[in-house]
Amino acid sequence: MAKPKLVISSGAGISAESGISTFRDAGGLWENYPVMEVASADGFRRNPELVHKFYNARRKDLVTKFPNDAHKALVDLEKYFNVYVITQNVDDLHERAGSSKVLHLHGELMKMRSVSDPYYIEPLDMEHLETTPQTRGKRGDLMRPHIVFFQEPVPNIELAQDWVYDADIFVVIGTSLAVYPAAGLIQCVKPGTPIYYIDPNPAPSAMGMPGVTVIKATATEGMKKLKEILIPAKQ
């Protein structure tokens, strides 16, 4: 018998518990940089050196961080469900925890891609954490961070919408439901599909939404509660 399809939409809140900061925690500043200077298409055109420097620092920080219990709980759920993770986060903590199906909406910090060909992507590793505007890939392309900047389209959003539409259960973890198009995924759920929303400060827009069970808690605490809800029914 096929396992039910459990689709997760994760945001900054799940990574914050691993010590990864977000610009929204500081009123539009990200590590003291105005976010549009380091995370927008215009910012990259104006000052690519600054943008490369910024993401070099994010990578150096990321490799010192580790998956937390919320990431690990999602892996545990694979024993009972086909778990699909859609994340707004650019870190690799879901993968490092062991999640087998992860779709990144906003790019991946540990990868770089061609400036001229968005489909040509190369991985980075511990020995190669830094890039510059002069960095070239293996085939000679000038490279940039593999990040979906503000003002750029989100290439994986249609696949994410398909995953959500096919979900038997949909879970939102650690997101303000304010960043589109990711925030709109909850509207793609088929009527009657159970939805769980985990966040210590749930978005008012989700309160009272039909079919939504709000778990007001951090990602780690909320995942403990979610496992208590979901797993007994599967045993």
Side-chain angles (χ1 to χ4, degrees):
M1 184 175 177
K3 296 177 183 177
K5 185 172 184 177
L6 173 62
V7 178
I8 309 294
S9 176
S10 73
I14 193 169
S15 293
E17 290 191 71
S18 290
I20 296 178
S21 62
T22 71
F23 74 89
R24 292 184 182 276
D25 294 332
L29 293 177
W30 197 351
E31 300 295 330
N32 298 316
Y33 291 97
V35 69
M36 294 304 284
E37 292 302 310
V38 294
S40 72
D42 285 346
F44 185 66
R45 280 190 289 269
R46 281 193 299 268
N47 195 341
E49 186 171 356
L50 173 65
V51 174
H52 278 274
K53 179 182 176 182
F54 176 79
Y55 288 102
N56 291 343
R58 303 285 69 72
R59 292 186 201 101
K60 290 177 182 177
D61 180 63
L62 174 59
V63 297
T64 70
K65 303 298 192 286
F66 299 93
N68 59 55
D69 286 346
H71 296 104
K72 295 172 185 176
L74 293 177
V75 180
D76 291 341
L77 287 174
E78 293 195 11
K79 299 171 187 173
Y80 308 95
F81 300 91
N82 282 321
V83 180
Y84 291 73
V85 179
I86 303 164
T87 186
Q88 298 175 56
N89 303 329
V90 297
D91 60 66
D92 60 353
L93 297 182
H94 282 298
E95 288 91 342
R96 283 160 56 191
S99 285
S100 59
K101 303 180 192 72
V102 183
L103 182 68
H104 287 266
L105 291 182
H106 297 156
E108 298 179 63
L109 195 53
M110 291 300 292
K111 294 180 180 179
M112 61 180 181
R113 78 168 186 254
S114 169
V115 170
S116 57
D117 179 0
Y119 298 102
Y120 183 69
I121 300 163
E122 290 186 13
L124 296 164
D125 56 37
M126 290 286 288
E127 285 72 44
H128 303 88
L129 294 175
E130 295 193 5
T131 61
T132 73
Q134 291 74 46
T135 297
R136 291 187 180 272
K138 293 179 181 178
R139 71 180 193 184
D141 301 48
L142 287 172
M143 305 298 280
R144 54 164 274 184
H146 182 40
I147 301 295
V148 178
F149 295 136
F150 288 105
Q151 303 165 330
E152 292 182 331
V154 178
N156 284 333
I157 190 63
E158 290 186 2
L159 178 56
Q161 291 168 342
D162 290 342
W163 282 13
V164 173
Y165 183 78
D166 289 337
D168 295 303
I169 302 171
F170 183 57
V171 180
V172 179
I173 307 172
T175 173
S176 63
L177 294 177
V179 178
Y180 283 84
L185 289 175
I186 199 169
Q187 305 297 333
C188 298
V189 179
K190 289 196 296 284
T193 301
I195 302 171
Y196 297 89
Y197 176 33
I198 300 169
D199 197 272
N201 299 294
S205 60
M207 307 299 283
M209 186 181 291
V212 177
T213 298
V214 176
I215 301 175
K216 190 175 181 179
T218 62
T220 51
E221 289 301 314
M223 282 304 303
K224 288 180 185 176
K225 295 178 180 178
L226 182 68
K227 286 174 71 177
E228 291 171 359
I229 294 170
L230 296 182
I231 291 178
K234 303 303 300 175
Q235 293 178 329

